[in-house]
Amino acid sequence: MAIFRNSSVMRTQVAIVGAGPAGLLLSHLLWLDGIDSVILENRSRDYVERRVRAGVCEDPTVKLLRDVGLAERLDREGLPHHGIVLRFDGEDHRIALTDLTGRTITVYGQQEIVKDLIAARLKAGAQIHFEVSDVEVHDVTGDRPRVTYKDSAGAVQEIQADVIAGCDGFHGVSRPSIPDSELTVYDHVYPFAWLGVLVKAPPANDELIYANHERGFALHSMRTPEVTRLYLQVDPSDSLDQWSDARIWDELHARFAIDGDFSLHEGPILERLLSPMRSFVVEPMRYGRLFLAGDSAHIVPPTGAKGMNLAVHDVLVLSRAFKELLQSGRTDLAESYSDTCLRRVWRAEHFSYFMTSMLHRAHDADPFQHRLQLSQLRYTASSTAAATSLAENYVGLPFP
């Protein structure tokens, strides 16, 4: 790693790499406990606040945001949902989340949570440095880890900290800073991708629809009462150029077809993206005084709506570990951080795998596999026990 000289040096207790929901929420939780932090982000504030990502908040995520004073706009603008719909065999089969578990999910975009967090952090005087570059972490196996970077003006800076939180996502610098020999990597790539579109049109249904169709999976979701989020299962080798607006709408209408009255609301496509489907986990989530959280440590396929919610759980556990370590010198929560988080991560990985394999149609699937899918769907829709298991995992297991 490069060693910078004549740099400007600042001191903090926690250096946080990444201003996504994980890094920002961690900084907020630490601030509530009287712990200082500095956040580094390589993108601009405008980019971070506009970056459209997940939209389903688990019940424990919403409760935590309320507990820490971050849910005023969520409670006003979020869309509580009491069920989801499994669409197959030409019919809808509703999974009554609230009736089965007593809890709900809330649709509220990740970028909206990020806006709320940035506003709250800046109001409290937090240091968030946007548009930084050349971020590197140093000396994480000692008791004085450092982060070096170039600020938005190109000047070299250094942060000296007690601990470093790597919240910079799958493509960030934190995880690659750990020697390969210190990590065990679990990586599973699915044989399909998602084509997602954001549409300026009201949702056609009040709840999410997960459709299993012979042409492939489709998902009907929403962001607001005026904006719909729609997804299509596509081949991973596809490009966005292959999918015209007309082709997208033709495929959506075909996959959401039902024996009854249902019609998608068409409108201008505001955004489109193509996302591969994968599961990825590294163990452990800690190396010395560098702690990984969120997508820097694990990726789940979006079918189970778990990615952002796992990041929230990670930083809740991490904030408690840092509080003990930095305020009382106790190390037990820091030492158990990885194991505590990974128990929830692997539960979410399995649930996401279950939902993905039950709903998607592999291009090379034989009729036997398809009949197994239909059997699982019919059992889930007709068995109270099976439906409760799905609902319990979907709304989110309680945080510790």
Side-chain angles (χ1 to χ4, degrees):
M1 292 184 177
I3 299 177
F4 299 105
R5 301 184 185 280
N6 301 319
S7 60
S8 176
V9 179
M10 70 181 81
R11 171 74 188 163
T12 190
Q13 291 175 285
V14 182
I16 300 173
V17 185
L24 291 164
L25 180 57
L26 175 61
S27 177
H28 185 80
L29 295 173
L30 294 172
W31 171 72
L32 292 174
D33 285 328
I35 297 172
D36 295 329
S37 65
V38 175
I39 306 173
L40 303 177
E41 170 57 48
N42 67 342
R43 301 284 193 171
S44 69
R45 176 180 177 180
D46 182 68
Y47 179 92
V48 171
E49 292 185 336
R50 291 177 180 269
R51 181 171 49 192
V52 177
R53 290 292 185 268
V56 174
C57 298
E58 291 179 348
D59 183 75
T61 292
V62 172
K63 288 178 178 176
L64 175 64
L65 294 175
R66 287 176 181 151
D67 287 345
V68 298
L70 293 169
E72 179 181 352
R73 198 160 67 92
L74 182 153
D75 285 333
R76 186 173 65 249
E77 301 177 13
L79 305 175
H81 284 211
H82 301 282
I84 61 172
V85 174
L86 301 180
R87 181 169 289 185
F88 62 94
D89 283 343
E91 297 179 354
D92 280 346
H93 307 264
R94 185 173 184 267
I95 306 297
L97 301 176
T98 305
D99 290 347
L100 293 166
T101 68
R103 291 173 281 153
T104 65
I105 59 166
T106 301
V107 174
Y108 187 68
Q110 176 175 311
Q111 76 275 15
E112 303 303 324
I113 292 176
V114 167
K115 291 176 188 175
D116 297 340
L117 280 163
I118 289 176
R121 293 282 61 240
L122 293 178
K123 183 178 180 180
Q127 293 194 57
I128 309 175
H129 299 277
F130 293 100
E131 299 183 82
V132 305
S133 61
D134 298 341
V135 178
E136 294 185 358
V137 300
H138 311 263
D139 306 330
V140 297
T141 56
D143 59 2
R144 289 289 183 268
R146 301 178 295 118
V147 182
T148 55
Y149 66 98
K150 291 182 180 177
D151 63 23
S152 58
V156 175
Q157 307 286 348
E158 178 178 308
I159 299 175
Q160 297 178 353
D162 295 306
V163 288
I164 299 173
C167 305
D168 49 343
F170 183 77
H171 299 290
V173 302
S174 297
R175 189 183 65 254
S177 300
I178 302 174
D180 291 343
S181 59
E182 299 295 329
L183 293 176
T184 301
V185 177
Y186 302 90
D187 195 4
H188 177 76
V189 179
Y190 294 83
F192 27 75
W194 272 17
L195 170 63
V197 293
L198 199 65
V199 179
K200 188 176 182 181
N205 193 62
D206 292 336
E207 296 177 337
L208 279 71
I209 303 173
Y210 288 79
N212 174 286
H213 191 271
E214 61 183 8
R215 299 171 69 98
F217 167 76
L219 172 62
H220 173 284
S221 182
M222 63 286 295
R223 285 297 176 265
T224 71
E226 296 81 30
V227 177
T228 303
R229 190 74 165 164
L230 299 163
Y231 295 94
L232 288 168
Q233 173 192 339
V234 300
D235 192 276
S237 63
D238 283 2
S239 67
L240 289 176
D241 294 339
Q242 296 174 262
W243 287 89
S244 65
D245 288 9
R247 184 185 178 191
I248 289 171
W249 285 114
D250 286 347
E251 202 64 30
L252 285 167
H253 284 296
R255 298 190 194 185
F256 283 114
I258 190 174
D259 298 335
D261 184 23
F262 178 82
S263 178
L264 286 173
H265 299 153
E266 293 193 20
I269 294 179
L270 306 174
E271 179 184 283
R272 66 189 72 207
L273 57 86
L274 195 63
S275 302
M277 301 278 282
R278 77 186 308 162
S279 290
F280 179 90
V281 181
V282 294
E283 296 184 6
M285 293 169 56
R286 174 197 179 187
Y287 178 63
R289 294 212 165 197
L290 170 60
F291 296 76
L292 305 179
D295 287 359
S296 64
H298 43 74
I299 297 288
V300 291
T303 327
K306 294 298 168 209
M308 179 184 65
N309 296 290
L310 281 179
V312 169
H313 176 260
D314 285 352
V315 297
L316 174 61
V317 176
L318 190 55
S319 68
R320 293 169 176 171
F322 284 170
K323 180 181 180 181
E324 276 208 350
L325 180 66
L326 300 177
Q327 293 185 344
S328 66
R330 292 180 56 186
T331 63
D332 51 327
L333 290 184
E335 290 169 355
S336 64
Y337 164 72
S338 182
D339 289 341
T340 300
C341 290
L342 285 168
R343 283 196 291 271
R344 191 180 188 92
V345 168
W346 281 112
R347 176 85 294 274
E349 291 286 0
H350 183 270
F351 177 68
S352 300
Y353 175 87
F354 162 75
M355 292 285 285
T356 303
S357 59
M358 179 174 68
L359 291 162
H360 291 69
R361 299 286 292 273
H363 295 301
D364 58 350
D366 59 38
F368 177 79
Q369 290 174 300
H370 178 49
R371 301 306 291 183
L372 291 179
Q373 275 187 321
L374 288 177
S375 174
Q376 182 62 58
L377 282 164
R378 291 165 182 161
Y379 174 63
T380 301
S382 61
S383 164
T384 300
T388 301
S389 177
L390 189 156
E392 182 180 56
N393 282 274
Y394 198 91
V395 301
L397 302 175
F399 287 163

